[in-house]
Amino acid sequence: MNEQDIPIDIHLNKLLDWLISRRICPRDWQKNILTVRQNINNAIQDMPAVDEIANLLAGTYINYFHCQRIVELLRETESSSKNIFGQYSSKRMKDWLEIVKLYEKENIYLAEAAQLLVRNIVYELPSLKKQLVKLKQIQEESSKKESDYAKNENNMRENYALSCQQMDIEGKNVKKEVFSLLDELPGALNTIAVSSKDLSFIRNYYLEFLNFTLKKDMDSNCLPVLKHIIEKGNTTTFEWRTGEPPEVVEMTTPVLPLDMDCGSTEATDDQIDFGDFVANSESGDDRSSNSPNGDFVHVDRDECKPDNGVQIDFGDGDINWDISVETSGIIELQTPEEQEGGKVARGTDALSVLENEATRNSFYNDLLELETFLEQRVLETESSENDVLSSTFFHEAPPVLQMQSIESLREMLSSVKTISSQLMTTKLKHLYLIKSSPRYVDRLVDSLKSKLETAERMVECQKAVKVKFHEAMDEQRSLEPKIELIVGKTKVLLSQVEKDISKRYKNRPVNIMGGMSALQQIIVH
């Protein structure tokens, strides 16, 4: 192979050192380039309106090869400025010729071109490429976030609608609609009480089972609240506790605010006002008796008889502590109403059994006890082994225990579960709390409002990420042409440097390694 055909391979990062080591460029080339750059900055202030010159001056760093091309173009535009000696009298032409001359002194243009190639290929283009990748990533993340925010918004609105549906309200004016539900509570509880009468047979079955297995009468202790509901319905708590209906029921009713704004939770307008306890007696007299701490004092006439078993004898100097306790064992004072024979139900005693939290919980516990018993009987009956034991154990059992099949037990279990589920629906649970707590409505309204507020925040977040998405897209659109322009002009400069070096070595092929391949990789990715 001829020496003329042997290529000269120069690594891009070593190009400037290679030029200096071959004494093509001086080591102090940078001090001379400052003058050149200053002259270029002054010369570009006065340029002819030529499109190609405008393109050369736009977008990238002006180098020696650009200056050469500008001189060629000026030879055409400034040809009329030549004097009789063939020299140009145009200041533009003189300025650019001077720039080219300074560039060619000690070949400082090659050193500048080598530095420019390294800066573009190693630093600037990769940085712009990373910025472009980041912008695309921002667009992807923004698009994903927008989808997530939209999903969360829909979930919050659906959650709000579901909560309103469970409470059987429209959700337009939550506080007013919630208050209106209180009117439905007595009717709903009475309906449950009426349905509970169908459990009479099931309770009797359970009672027979207890009497047979425990060998004693369990009627008084077997599901007492359920028994009362079955026999007497949803009576007042007073009647459940004493066994006799009251003569007077003093009902405390909440005073509803006149202006109930859906979106407001201010105490001045929307706070539930239970007011003073109102005594609604049949005679129209105000018979409300409040203790100093604000609680009702209930006095039961039946438990306050003159002869209650307390005997104190001081005759022998000894105290006889023989005290017989009847019913609840609490000795209560008589009120004037009871001394006159009145039976007044006030406070919790005035509430129905199912409205009163304590008795309602007892009723629910009775249902759960009955439900658990039936579930166990179904499991025992389904087991073939237990069937044998059962048939042996119940051969002397009452007929009502022997005649029950798996199907009948399942039907009884379903009936009990139906009643218990009706008692503990989401709507009724809210009504129980509203009835017992004047502040619960505000908490409930705030809870529902928070769902809508969260949905609105999700809308704002969607708008924000949309703006971020479009900003990133606009920046990407402006950045991509800039990268293409720098890549294109860097390729040209790379080729020009290779040709210039090749001329100095008898046109041997010159390859600047890591140049063109790096540019191709930037374009691909």
Side-chain angles (χ1 to χ4, degrees), residues 168-180:
D168 197 19
I169 61 176
E170 293 184 12
K172 296 179 179 178
N173 192 329
V174 177
K175 182 167 286 189
K176 185 176 181 180
E177 292 171 11
V178 167
F179 273 121
S180 66

Side-chain angles (χ1 to χ4, degrees), residues 67-131:
C67 296
Q68 275 191 326
R69 181 57 184 162
I70 290 173
V71 169
E72 292 176 5
L73 294 173
L74 289 177
R75 292 183 192 279
E76 299 176 3
T77 60
E78 305 296 324
S79 59
S80 60
S81 63
K82 282 185 178 182
N83 56 28
I84 58 174
F85 301 104
Q87 295 178 341
Y88 290 92
S89 59
S90 168
K91 185 176 183 304
R92 292 175 183 169
M93 193 65 177
K94 289 180 179 180
D95 290 343
W96 287 103
L97 287 173
E98 178 65 20
I99 290 170
V100 171
K101 183 178 178 181
L102 291 174
Y103 255 135
E104 291 175 347
K105 184 179 180 181
E106 296 185 303
N107 300 317
I108 61 173
Y109 71 90
L110 273 178
E112 183 192 50
Q115 185 186 59
L116 186 58
L117 287 173
V118 172
R119 188 180 69 182
N120 286 353
I121 297 174
V122 178
Y123 299 105
E124 186 171 359
L125 284 173
S127 176
L128 292 175
K129 195 66 179 181
K130 286 180 182 179
Q131 187 177 350

Side-chain angles (χ1 to χ4, degrees), residues 5-45:
D5 298 329
I6 299 175
I8 300 174
D9 295 332
I10 311 169
H11 199 280
L12 177 65
N13 291 332
K14 302 293 183 180
L15 178 59
L16 183 56
D17 294 337
W18 188 90
L19 292 172
I20 293 173
S21 65
R22 268 56 174 186
R23 300 182 182 277
I24 298 174
C25 302
R27 290 187 179 275
D28 58 351
W29 64 273
Q30 287 182 332
K31 69 178 183 180
N32 296 325
I33 204 67
L34 295 177
T35 304
V36 178
R37 301 312 309 176
Q38 184 63 42
N39 290 346
I40 291 175
N41 291 334
N42 295 332
I44 61 175
Q45 304 302 322

Side-chain angles (χ1 to χ4, degrees), residues 42 62 64 164 171 185 194 242 293 304 314 323 341 383 484:
N42 295 332
I62 299 175
Y64 165 76
C164 292
L185 182 59
V194 172
T242 64
N293 62 0
C304 297
F314 294 95
I323 301 174
S383 172
E484 292 178 2

Side-chain angles (χ1 to χ4, degrees), residues 94-205:
K94 289 180 179 180
D95 290 343
W96 287 103
L97 287 173
E98 178 65 20
I99 290 170
V100 171
K101 183 178 178 181
L102 291 174
Y103 255 135
E104 291 175 347
K105 184 179 180 181
E106 296 185 303
N107 300 317
I108 61 173
Y109 71 90
L110 273 178
E112 183 192 50
Q115 185 186 59
L116 186 58
L117 287 173
V118 172
R119 188 180 69 182
N120 286 353
I121 297 174
V122 178
Y123 299 105
E124 186 171 359
L125 284 173
S127 176
L128 292 175
K129 195 66 179 181
K130 286 180 182 179
Q131 187 177 350
L132 186 62
V133 171
K134 186 177 181 180
L135 292 173
K136 291 180 179 179
Q137 184 179 357
I138 289 174
Q139 293 176 50
E140 292 176 1
E141 291 176 354
S142 299
S143 181
K144 184 178 181 300
K145 285 181 179 179
E146 182 182 357
S147 176
D148 292 340
Y149 289 143
K151 183 178 179 181
N152 290 338
E153 178 200 354
N154 292 333
N155 288 341
M156 286 295 102
R157 296 193 188 279
E158 289 174 2
N159 198 342
Y160 177 82
L162 179 61
S163 298
C164 292
Q165 182 181 356
Q166 290 175 342
M167 295 178 61
D168 197 19
I169 61 176
E170 293 184 12
K172 296 179 179 178
N173 192 329
V174 177
K175 182 167 286 189
K176 185 176 181 180
E177 292 171 11
V178 167
F179 273 121
S180 66
L181 292 178
L182 286 175
D183 298 333
E184 303 177 15
L185 182 59
L189 295 178
N190 289 334
T191 301
I192 293 174
V194 172
S195 302
S196 299
K197 294 182 181 295
D198 297 336
L199 304 182
S200 176
F201 173 79
I202 303 174
R203 180 186 175 276
N204 290 336
Y205 172 75

